[in-house]
Amino acid sequence: MGKPMKRLHVAAALRAHGCEPVRNRGGHEVWRCPCGQHTSAVPNHREITAGVVNSIQKQMPCLEEGWLQ
Ligand SMILES: [Zn+2]
């Protein structure tokens, strides 16, 4: 199960695993994974809820297990 996390922590984990931000609009930043097949939207909030943390993990299946801790 996920837990709430700070957006800066989520963004740092994405970047550390080779993801890149591709656009920021509509209240969220979209990140693309290194394989190029997956994207995930990270809300522009200081805190990301546990539910959204779970979604982000599911949307990036090509990253190693436990990439977002
Ligand atoms: Zn991917």
Side-chain angles (χ1 to χ4, degrees), residues 6-7 9-10 12 14 18 22 25 29 34 37 39 44 48-50 53 56 61-65 68-69:
K6 299 209 181 309
R7 180 177 51 77
H9 178 81
V10 174
L14 283 163
V22 290
R25 61 170 177 258
E29 185 167 49
Q37 301 298 306
T39 57
N44 293 332
I48 308 299
T49 65
V53 167
I56 292 167
C62 60
L63 301 185
E64 65 188 80
E65 190 81 15
L68 182 53
Q69 297 282 345

Side-chain angles (χ1 to χ4, degrees), residues 33 35 38 62:
C33 72
C35 91
H38 307 105
C62 60

Side-chain angles (χ1 to χ4, degrees), residues 8-42:
L8 290 177
H9 178 81
V10 174
L14 283 163
R15 207 178 280 285
H17 289 82
C19 300
E20 294 282 350
V22 290
R23 60 183 177 271
N24 193 331
R25 61 170 177 258
H28 57 259
E29 185 167 49
V30 174
W31 288 72
R32 180 179 292 133
C33 72
C35 91
Q37 301 298 306
H38 307 105
T39 57
S40 185
V42 179

